[in-house]
Amino acid sequence: MSHPMSGHPLLDEVNPAELALELEGEAPPMLVDVRTPMEREMASIEPSLHVDLSQFIKRAPDEIPRDADVVIYCHTGMRSAQAAIWLKANGWSRARSLAGGIDEWSVVIDRDVPRY
């Protein structure tokens, strides 16, 4: 399922299978969840930093190191794409979005993560 931003020149995406392998590797990426607190209570991929998208631009510079390998996730990949594009445009060279979001993660990788 592709979304309107999938062709954006600054958008790098990682699919759930690729991310699962990276998370098991020597240097796992930093996961950042941009969903609402209510969504996070229902399901999350851990460990991850929670930065609600509404506060993202204010909090990201202090909480996400610019040299970090960062993967942003949300419910379906739309909000995380926006956040990843913003990071790339503002000096984070290794920011990616989880394609399909936590919903796709639940289907492909971890069925114990509730779908909503």
Side-chain angles (χ1 to χ4, degrees):
M1 174 169 96
S2 104
H3 53 74
M5 280 180 266
S6 60
H8 193 288
L10 290 179
L11 180 61
D12 286 333
E13 291 185 301
V14 59
N15 70 42
E18 292 164 339
L19 179 60
L21 285 174
E22 289 182 25
L23 290 174
E24 291 171 9
E26 298 275 314
M30 176 181 187
L31 282 181
V32 180
D33 179 355
V34 295
R35 299 170 305 143
T36 65
M38 204 169 83
E39 286 178 288
R40 190 165 169 89
E41 281 175 26
M42 289 188 269
S44 65
I45 305 169
E46 295 301 337
S48 59
L49 171 68
H50 181 233
V51 182
D52 190 314
L53 191 62
S54 66
Q55 303 163 351
F56 191 78
I57 291 171
K58 187 170 70 183
R59 290 178 51 196
D62 293 329
E63 298 182 44
I64 303 170
R66 285 183 191 268
D67 58 353
D69 179 8
V70 183
V71 175
I72 315 281
Y73 76 90
C74 65
H75 186 204
T76 60
M78 291 290 292
R79 287 170 286 175
S80 59
Q82 292 175 341
I85 288 168
W86 185 87
L87 287 177
K88 287 292 272 290
N90 287 279
W92 281 260
S93 60
R94 299 164 67 204
R96 295 174 292 166
S97 171
L98 177 58
I102 196 170
D103 193 60
E104 188 75 9
W105 177 269
S106 173
V107 172
V108 176
I109 303 298
D110 186 354
R111 294 189 182 279
D112 291 336
V113 173
R115 295 184 72 195
Y116 61 94

